[in-house]
Amino acid sequence: MNGTQQRSAERYGAPRISKRTARVLITVAAAVFVAVVALVGYWSVSAPIRAEMVGYDHVADDVIAVDYQLTMKPGTEATCRIQALNSARAQVGFVETHVPAQSSRISVQQVEISTQGAAVSAEVLGCDPA
């Protein structure tokens, strides 16, 4: 230790951990962070079924037709949950529909939802393998 470091240590106390230990801890923390980010990315990309809204159309005052796109492995069956919403974002209609196995990876599905009031939008809540 030179004179300046010795005076600092006398005044403020010695460091709680050495520089080498701090470097090792930072390296380990960075490795854990990268592993967690990679794992979350893998889980989101490898989701068995992904559903996206394509659009909706008002068939009648109490019926809305919803188009949605499914991305899933060919031969997979799915069960999807779709809801219709009013202007206050309250649920006015709900349907759970079975999608049979498809021959292509991406398919567009349509379902009609009977509503208990005027629906202004719709959304796919999710799809799971059947």
Side-chain angles (χ1 to χ4, degrees):
M1 246 191 226
N2 64 26
T4 305
Q5 289 176 337
Q6 186 175 3
R7 282 193 302 267
S8 292
E10 289 172 359
R11 178 179 285 174
Y12 301 110
R16 292 185 183 194
I17 58 173
S18 69
K19 288 184 180 183
R20 182 170 188 254
T21 304
R23 285 186 195 128
V24 169
L25 289 175
I26 289 172
T27 303
V28 168
V32 168
F33 177 76
V34 168
V36 167
V37 168
L39 189 61
V40 168
Y42 173 75
W43 282 339
S44 66
V45 170
S46 65
I49 299 174
R50 286 194 313 263
E52 298 177 36
M53 276 292 295
V54 173
Y56 56 89
D57 188 30
H58 299 279
V59 177
D61 288 340
D62 61 345
V63 178
I64 187 169
V66 178
D67 296 320
Y68 60 100
Q69 177 179 306
L70 281 180
T71 304
M72 61 184 178
K73 188 176 179 180
T76 304
E77 295 182 359
T79 301
C80 295
R81 295 165 311 283
I82 301 109
Q83 70 178 352
L85 305 169
N86 66 11
S87 59
R89 302 271 310 149
Q91 185 184 72
V92 292
F94 177 84
V95 68
E96 185 170 285
T97 182
H98 176 77
V99 179
Q102 305 292 310
S103 59
S104 63
R105 183 165 173 74
I106 298 174
S107 64
V108 176
Q109 305 292 320
Q110 184 177 53
V111 66
E112 289 187 357
I113 303 173
S114 296
T115 63
Q116 298 174 346
V120 297
S121 68
E123 67 182 2
V124 179
L125 296 174
C127 295
D128 297 312

